[in-house]
Amino acid sequence: MAHPSQLGFQDAASPVMEELLHFHDHALMIVFLISTLVLYIIVAMVSTKLTNKYILDSQEIEIIWTVLPAIILILIALPSLRILYLMDEINDPHLTIKAMGHQWYWSYEYTDYEELGFDSYMIPTQDLSPGQFRLLEADHRMVIPVESPIRVLVSAEDVLHSWAVPALGVKMDAVPGRLNQTAFITSRPGVFYGQCSEICGANHSFMPIVVEAVPLEHFENWSSLMLEDA
């Protein structure tokens, strides 16, 4: 998860987030090179009194500064489109979970099971255990098996919400009357935190998302216990 004064992204916990991090570095390097070139030209123009008459009226340089930006845009657009298609790809999910946004909590329903569903509320500050994070801990976590394709159906019951987990590279709007879907694969076990990312009212800041990725055997034991309690 993020820590104070962090400048970069969170560590990736899914293949899609790894691709997004690589694309970010790729685009940032292009921006850095462009900024360096522009800064050099500005300094050169300001600091020299010499003038080259062939630069002031030159067909060749006009071709260069027209074609070069087009090539740069293509170098940015092609990887971006590739990642967009990867994020939309949903291939034979092993598990489907419906996440429903409410004011101001989330409810989860494991649609592959008959009676497996629960509400997830933020744990108040006074009830936190040592080591837990304020405003990020929930009383019920969304537990998923690691290295398995997971499909999440996202909707809302009242107002607009947004189901977002940065470490997984997932952000999907929850719209009343509309069912959106997204998918991800966790590449390692762990606990991943997110929050509602759409301003949804007075307690918008108090509806965290906690995703816990565990080995398949542990997930089966957890689901059995939840079904017994239900």
Side-chain angles (χ1 to χ4, degrees):
M1 62 173 293
H3 57 78
S5 70
Q6 178 175 330
L7 296 179
F9 291 98
Q10 299 183 28
D11 291 338
S14 70
V16 168
M17 190 59 194
E18 291 178 6
E19 293 286 342
L20 289 171
L21 290 178
H22 293 155
F23 175 70
H24 170 266
D25 296 340
H26 167 73
L28 195 63
M29 184 56 64
I30 293 176
V31 171
F32 174 75
L33 293 175
I34 293 173
S35 302
T36 304
L37 176 62
V38 171
L39 180 63
Y40 168 76
I41 293 174
I42 292 174
V43 172
M45 294 291 290
V46 171
S47 62
T48 182
K49 296 180 180 179
L50 301 176
T51 302
N52 190 328
K53 65 179 182 179
Y54 296 107
I55 291 181
L56 295 178
D57 185 16
S58 172
Q59 192 72 26
E60 290 78 12
I61 197 168
E62 288 188 9
I63 293 174
I64 291 173
W65 70 38
T66 301
V67 173
L68 191 59
I71 295 174
I72 293 173
L73 289 175
I74 291 172
L75 291 176
I76 295 175
L78 291 180
S80 175
L81 289 173
R82 173 177 170 271
I83 296 175
L84 281 175
Y85 279 103
L86 283 175
M87 294 175 72
D88 274 342
E89 198 72 29
I90 300 177
N91 289 323
D92 190 23
H94 295 177
L95 183 67
T96 299
I97 304 171
K98 185 169 74 173
M100 185 73 71
H102 308 265
Q103 286 183 313
W104 287 271
Y105 64 95
W106 293 97
S107 62
Y108 298 101
E109 180 183 338
Y110 289 69
T111 58
D112 300 287
Y113 299 83
E114 288 186 2
E115 296 292 336
L116 183 49
F118 50 85
D119 296 331
S120 179
Y121 290 87
M122 186 194 76
I123 299 177
T125 303
Q126 62 271 19
D127 296 335
L128 290 174
S129 302
Q132 290 186 322
F133 301 105
R134 191 178 72 90
L135 301 183
L136 289 177
E137 296 289 350
D139 57 356
H140 289 92
R141 294 174 173 176
M142 191 184 96
V143 182
I144 58 172
V146 73
E147 294 182 346
S148 296
I150 308 297
R151 175 173 57 188
V152 182
L153 305 176
V154 184
S155 186
E157 190 180 54
D158 34 49
V159 298
L160 291 175
H161 300 279
S162 184
W163 198 84
V165 183
L168 300 176
V170 175
K171 185 176 186 291
M172 182 57 65
D173 285 344
V175 183
R178 179 185 177 94
L179 199 63
N180 293 327
Q181 70 173 356
T182 185
F184 59 87
I185 301 174
T186 52
S187 52
R188 56 185 169 86
V191 180
F192 311 109
Y193 295 92
Q195 290 178 301
C196 177
S197 297
E198 187 75 48
I199 296 177
C200 56
N203 292 330
H204 160 67
S205 303
F206 308 114
M207 47 185 304
I209 300 159
V210 186
V211 178
E212 183 175 0
V214 298
L216 180 59
E217 181 181 353
H218 294 180
F219 173 78
E220 291 175 342
N221 294 337
W222 172 84
S223 60
S224 299
L225 290 174
M226 292 293 290
L227 289 171
E228 289 176 4
D229 294 340

